[in-house]
Amino acid sequence: MGSLPSASEGYFPAFRHRDFRLYWFSQFVAHCGVWMQIMAQSWALYQITGSAIGVGLNGLFRAAPSFGFGFFGGAIADRYERKRIVMVTTSVQVLLGAILATLAFTHNLTAWAIYMVTAVNATAQAVGSPAQSALLPNLIPRSALANGVAMNSILFRGSAMIGPAIGGIIIAAVGIGGAYAVNSVAHLAVVFTLPFIRTTSVGGGRKTQLGRSVIEGLNYVRRQPVICGALLLGAFASFFSLNQVVLTVFAKDILQVGAGGFGLMQSERGIGSVTGALFLIFMGNFRRPGRTLYILGTIHVLTYLLFAHSHIWPLSLFLLVVLGMSDTMWGTTRNVIFQYSSMESMRGRVMSISQMTFRGLNHLGQAPTGMFIAFLGGRFAVFLAGILIGGSMLCTNFLYPGLKRFVLEQRPVEEG
């Protein structure tokens, strides 16, 4: 397994490695652009359709490719050079951002145009994201892997803090098209940086047919109860998360704080996310992630239920900070388990399944969220979601009791 970083290595041992630094900063810029585009799409769809269901439908167009191509994305990441996969899929995202910007600036942007571009963009992410995640362990030594996973959480969550705030300013100044254009330019950071990363990464999986490779990955995950348990927790947390539909409706109709407040809500959650990731890094003890999962999950559920009932704007912002902290720490701990539990030849497929539970189910949950809000009201829908996430923790503890006892000294099972 390799040892965890010692105190003498500092709090950021992953940043001591050049390839990781290049990877991290380019991805951070790109993800700031992603969050600008996500915010712009949600706001534009709510203006165009006038309904939470219209916003939620965009989640279906994100989710379908995630499930349709996610398994194959993991198999591809375990067969081919991962840097090249990331380069191709990122270039597609550059083009899609430019298309949306052109449609917006020429006043031809429609709901169906957003849905179609979303579907193609989600396809590129489904293929590229497993390769991107599986590349991470090749950029740093295994002793710094847990720190690298935590730094990746700062990447994703920090961009969620900065991206929406900048996006709100851009939308107010130049309109929706500006956010799309900046997203397109931001992805060029990855395209221009990847050639300077010296590390190469080919998964090493057997060159079998893709369909068989997918089945091998599913069978591998099925035989790993710790991975299955962490995936089940992630699936419920993602499907019933505080997604874009919830935040859009709360900002516009329930808390009535407008587009600026919407961006602030996103940013406050991002602040909490970065704080949570930094706390994990400075704490420096990832040795018992199984037990940590249930502690963080309990905090997350209780905060979720409080947010559903909050009528006070400052209190709602504070609860979003706490939700961001707990969600990031919870998700980072799950990812540490996935990275440490997966053997190299299977890592792409394991990470693709992990990302389907994170991205795919998160997007898929937006459509039923829109319907629940339309029929039950925003507050009750969020309260019910929190109860269901809490119930998933009880079920997981019963079905996979070994998850709570998992420690990082355990080695991945090397199966054929």
Side-chain angles (χ1 to χ4, degrees):
M1 170 63 66
S3 61
L4 297 176
S6 64
S8 62
E9 293 180 282
Y11 290 118
F12 305 100
F15 261 8
R16 298 176 65 183
H17 302 276
R18 171 188 175 276
D19 283 349
F20 181 83
R21 291 195 302 270
L22 289 173
Y23 162 90
W24 194 93
F25 283 109
S26 63
Q27 290 291 339
F28 181 80
V29 172
H31 278 83
C32 283
V34 167
W35 278 103
M36 291 182 206
Q37 179 158 306
I38 289 174
M39 178 185 175
Q41 286 178 325
S42 297
W43 200 254
L45 283 171
Y46 205 33
Q47 288 181 327
I48 293 170
T49 66
S51 72
I53 296 176
V55 180
L57 277 176
N58 202 43
L60 287 181
F61 287 94
R62 285 197 187 105
S66 296
F67 289 106
F69 296 96
F71 287 116
F72 293 101
I76 291 170
D78 285 336
R79 290 164 62 98
Y80 302 110
E81 215 288 305
R82 290 163 179 166
K83 276 197 331 184
R84 186 173 300 173
I85 297 169
V86 175
M87 174 70 79
V88 172
T89 54
T90 304
S91 298
V92 171
Q93 291 174 281
V94 171
L95 178 62
L96 293 173
I99 290 173
L100 282 176
T102 301
L103 290 174
F105 283 130
T106 59
H107 305 289
N108 291 311
L109 188 65
T110 65
W112 278 103
I114 294 175
Y115 294 149
M116 292 299 99
V117 171
T118 293
V120 179
N121 190 69
T123 301
Q125 288 182 338
V127 175
S129 291
Q132 182 179 308
S133 295
L135 178 63
L136 175 63
N138 301 106
L139 304 176
I140 48 179
R142 195 166 180 81
S143 62
L145 182 55
N147 183 261
V149 173
M151 292 302 300
N152 248 19
S153 292
I154 292 180
L155 185 161
F156 292 117
R157 310 299 182 162
S159 61
M161 173 182 66
I162 296 175
I166 298 175
I169 296 172
I170 292 173
I171 291 172
V174 298
I176 296 291
Y180 296 141
V182 172
N183 173 57
S184 180
V185 173
H187 276 81
L188 289 174
V190 177
V191 174
F192 291 145
T193 300
L194 276 174
F196 294 97
I197 294 178
R198 293 188 289 256
T199 300
T200 58
S201 172
V202 180
R206 293 194 298 267
K207 298 300 186 289
T208 58
Q209 294 181 343
L210 277 180
R212 183 177 176 184
S213 181
V214 168
I215 293 172
E216 287 178 351
L218 290 172
N219 286 333
Y220 174 78
V221 169
R222 181 175 54 84
R223 292 191 293 265
Q224 310 299 321
V226 169
I227 294 178
C228 286
L231 283 172
L232 182 60
L233 280 180
F236 272 83
S238 297
F239 189 83
F240 297 106
S241 69
L242 208 67
N243 56 42
Q244 291 298 304
V245 180
V246 173
L247 292 180
T248 303
V249 172
F250 265 66
K252 195 171 192 306
D253 296 334
I254 296 178
L255 297 173
Q256 298 181 349
V257 291
F262 178 48
L264 185 58
M265 290 172 72
Q266 295 270 31
S267 295
E268 290 298 302
R269 190 168 60 166
I271 290 172
S273 297
V274 172
T275 303
L278 287 172
F279 180 80
L280 282 178
I281 289 171
F282 293 138
M283 185 175 64
N285 182 9
F286 289 88
R287 294 186 184 277
R288 301 185 65 86
R291 184 177 62 182
T292 303
L293 277 181
Y294 288 91
I295 296 173
L296 293 171
T298 300
I299 296 171
H300 186 73
V301 169
L302 292 176
T303 309
Y304 209 106
L305 298 177
L306 286 173
F307 178 80
H309 287 90
S310 172
H311 292 76
I312 304 171
W313 172 235
L315 176 60
S316 296
L317 290 178
F318 171 76
L319 292 173
L320 283 172
V321 172
V322 179
L323 280 171
M325 289 181 62
S326 60
D327 184 48
T328 294
M329 295 171 73
W330 204 14
T332 299
T333 306
R334 291 196 302 268
N335 282 333
V336 167
I337 291 174
F338 295 142
Q339 293 281 14
Y340 270 87
S341 300
S342 306
M343 61 193 216
E344 174 66 18
S345 61
M346 289 286 178
R347 183 171 288 118
R349 280 163 282 186
V350 171
M351 296 313 297
S352 71
I353 296 171
S354 165
Q355 288 173 11
M356 277 189 288
T357 64
F358 173 66
R359 284 200 179 100
L361 289 178
N362 177 270
H363 300 325
L364 185 64
Q366 292 183 24
T369 295
M371 290 186 286
F372 287 147
I373 290 175
F375 291 107
L376 302 176
R379 294 192 184 280
F380 184 74
V382 172
F383 178 81
L384 180 61
I387 294 295
L388 291 172
I389 294 174
S392 74
M393 294 173 56
L394 297 176
C395 291
T396 303
N397 191 42
F398 175 76
L399 294 172
Y400 303 102
L403 176 61
K404 184 182 290 185
R405 299 190 295 270
F406 179 78
V407 294
L408 291 190
E409 285 75 14
Q410 298 176 14
R411 292 176 177 268
V413 179
E414 295 290 334
E415 299 182 4

